[in-house]
């Protein structure tokens, strides 16, 4: 039976890289029944649509969501990010953002688990006396024991399944003494249930140094929403480039569809020129089909991506090169 996939190509290079991802998945023998959704910055500029509630309800009926990239320079910051991406993550309770980073030649193989529905991205805050010389802006961080514990528990389960069985928590407990304290206490409590998983803690600024100088030290990392967003861009940079960085926004309970997307943006400066590297989108699709139970196909796709060296070719030529290896 074909997997029902909602496809949001989005803006800029998004539709180009998604097309290659779907091509490769089908070349791996996975049957897909896809439905395209016209959402993103270009749609907003045409008619003001971001993510209507009826479309969100329709998305709930799919097995998974594959997204290319969204955003255009002409749309004010925050409109698409909060109105589409964050709305979808929060409404579908995709509380795990999972981003793997691998560079075999350098011995890099780690996964960042980012809490995906709380923290500074929850939207708590506001303005006082806006547009005056005495303007005040506040932006709080929302952290619940429930939200922190479930993502930490997911990270321990993942670490336990990997050969090294090591989990590092990244935060800023010496300054963020409330949220950091909740994270540290919860981490320590859950750790007692996983005695075979070795643990460590890094301040986020130290982790940035280690990502550059010694990324091989990491196996699984768990961190909050904002720190995870920043660290995973750096993770992409140290493991071959952002064009190789894949991600999944997961509801591990499977009550709602998970969404898969490359970490990179819409890159409007090269849109339509077939210059984009589609590997990140292809690897994101591999994560998607693995979640859907197609583990053999997912592994073959990852190996085909690792073996593809024709990265100076055009976007469709890179997709074709990966597909040929399947």
């Amino acid at each position: 039976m074909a997997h029902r996939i909602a496809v949001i190509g989005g803006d800029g290079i998004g539709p180009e890289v998604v097309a290659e991802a779907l091509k490769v998945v089908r070349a791996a023998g996975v049957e897909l029944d896809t439905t395209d959704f016209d959402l993103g910055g270009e749609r907003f500029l045409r008619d003001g649509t971001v993510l209507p509630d009826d479309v969100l309800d329709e998305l709930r009926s799919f097995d998974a969501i594959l997204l290319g990239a969204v955003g255009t320079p002409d749309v004010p910051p925050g409109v698409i990010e909060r109105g589409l991406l964050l709305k979808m993550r929060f409404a579908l309770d995709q509380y795990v953002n999972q981003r793997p980073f691998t560079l075999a030649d350098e011995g890099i193989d780690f996964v960042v688990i980012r809490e995906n529905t709380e923290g500074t991205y929850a939207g708590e805050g506001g303005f006082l006396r806006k547009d005056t010389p005495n303007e005040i802006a506040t932006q709080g961080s929302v952290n619940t024991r429930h939200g922190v514990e479930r993502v930490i528990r997911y990270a321990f389960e993942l670490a336990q399944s990997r050969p090294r069985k090591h989990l590092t928590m990244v935060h800023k407990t010496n300054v963020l003494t409330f949220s950091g304290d909740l994270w540290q206490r919860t981490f320590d409590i859950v750790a007692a249930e996983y005695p075979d998983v070795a643990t460590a803690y890094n301040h986020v600024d130290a982790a940035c140094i280690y990502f550059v100088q010694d990324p091989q030290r990491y196996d699984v990392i768990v961190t909050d929403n904002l720190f995870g967003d920043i660290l995973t861009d750096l993770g992409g940079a140290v493991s071959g480039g952002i064009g190789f960085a894949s991600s999944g926004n997961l509801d591990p309970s499977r009550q709602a569809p998970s969404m898969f997307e490359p970490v990179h943006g819409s890159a409007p400066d090269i849109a339509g020129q077939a210059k984009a590297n589609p590997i990140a989108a292809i690897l994101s699709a591999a994560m998607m089909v693995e979640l859907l139970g197609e583990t053999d196909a997912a592994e073959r796709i990852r190996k085909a991506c690792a073996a593809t060296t024709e990265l100076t070719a055009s976007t469709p030529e890179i997709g074709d090169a990966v597909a040929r290896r399947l």
Side-chain angles (χ1 to χ4, degrees):
M1 183 179 296
H3 302 288
R4 297 186 64 247
I5 307 300
V7 178
I8 304 172
D11 302 309
I13 63 172
E16 300 174 53
V17 297
V18 162
E20 300 313 307
L22 294 174
K23 175 199 297 180
V24 168
V25 168
R26 289 181 168 122
V30 179
E31 293 187 37
L32 302 178
D33 177 9
T34 61
T35 300
D36 292 315
F37 287 82
D38 181 13
L39 299 170
E42 293 296 336
R43 174 70 185 274
F44 175 78
L45 291 173
R46 287 202 311 273
D47 61 16
T49 296
V50 182
L51 178 60
D53 289 341
D54 60 333
V55 175
L56 180 60
D57 288 340
E58 187 178 355
L59 290 171
R60 292 180 186 275
S61 68
F62 286 85
D63 297 325
I65 303 165
L66 182 63
L67 183 145
V70 291
T72 62
D74 296 329
V75 178
V79 172
I80 302 301
E81 293 85 352
R82 298 206 67 87
L84 175 58
L85 296 179
L86 296 189
K87 180 177 180 178
M88 195 161 15
R89 292 175 188 173
F90 294 171
L92 301 179
D93 202 24
Q94 297 166 343
Y95 68 86
V96 169
N97 182 267
Q98 182 164 324
R99 298 185 175 183
F101 300 97
T102 304
L103 188 60
D105 292 345
E106 300 293 333
I108 296 173
D109 181 11
F110 65 91
V111 182
V112 177
I113 301 301
R114 164 190 171 192
E115 200 292 315
N116 212 31
T117 59
E118 296 188 347
T120 50
Y121 289 11
E124 190 277 330
F127 292 103
L128 181 63
R129 295 190 286 272
K130 188 176 182 181
D131 294 325
T132 76
N134 300 311
E135 180 173 349
I136 299 171
T138 63
Q139 193 82 58
S141 179
V142 177
N143 299 265
T144 69
R145 172 60 185 266
H146 169 70
V148 172
E149 181 172 344
R150 65 181 181 173
V151 75
I152 286 175
R153 191 171 298 279
Y154 179 91
F156 269 104
E157 291 286 339
L158 178 62
Q160 191 175 55
S161 72
R162 290 166 60 89
R164 289 178 60 188
K165 299 184 187 300
H166 190 280
L167 177 61
T168 304
M169 189 185 95
V170 173
H171 210 281
K172 190 67 175 172
T173 56
N174 60 334
V175 175
L176 303 178
T177 53
F178 301 121
S179 61
D181 185 72
L182 172 59
W183 271 82
Q184 187 67 69
R185 283 185 289 110
T186 306
F187 186 84
D188 293 342
I189 290 168
V190 177
E193 302 177 30
Y194 297 86
D196 55 334
V197 176
T199 61
Y201 170 79
N202 293 159
H203 290 324
V204 65
D205 42 352
C208 288
I209 296 172
Y210 298 145
F211 265 45
V212 174
Q213 294 184 344
D214 184 24
Q216 295 84 357
R217 71 168 54 203
Y218 292 116
D219 181 20
V220 180
I221 295 168
V222 65
T223 189
D224 87 338
N225 210 334
L226 176 60
F227 295 149
D229 195 2
I230 296 167
L231 281 175
T232 50
D233 278 3
L234 183 55
V238 302
S239 59
I242 204 73
F244 297 91
S246 58
S247 77
N249 301 280
L250 312 178
D251 170 19
S253 74
R254 309 291 183 96
Q255 295 181 29
S258 295
M259 178 176 70
F260 300 85
E261 58 178 324
V263 172
H264 63 66
S266 60
D269 56 320
I270 60 169
Q273 300 177 42
K275 292 181 178 180
N277 181 356
I279 295 293
I282 295 169
L283 291 172
S284 298
M287 292 180 68
M288 178 183 74
V289 298
E290 182 172 40
L291 183 79
L292 296 174
E294 305 278 0
T295 54
D296 176 67
E299 183 60 25
R300 288 190 291 115
I301 291 170
R302 282 191 283 264
K303 288 180 178 178
C305 286
T308 298
T309 57
E310 299 92 332
L311 298 180
T312 56
S314 69
T315 304
E317 287 171 341
I318 296 173
D320 289 341
V322 177
R324 280 197 300 270
R325 290 177 167 83
L326 296 166

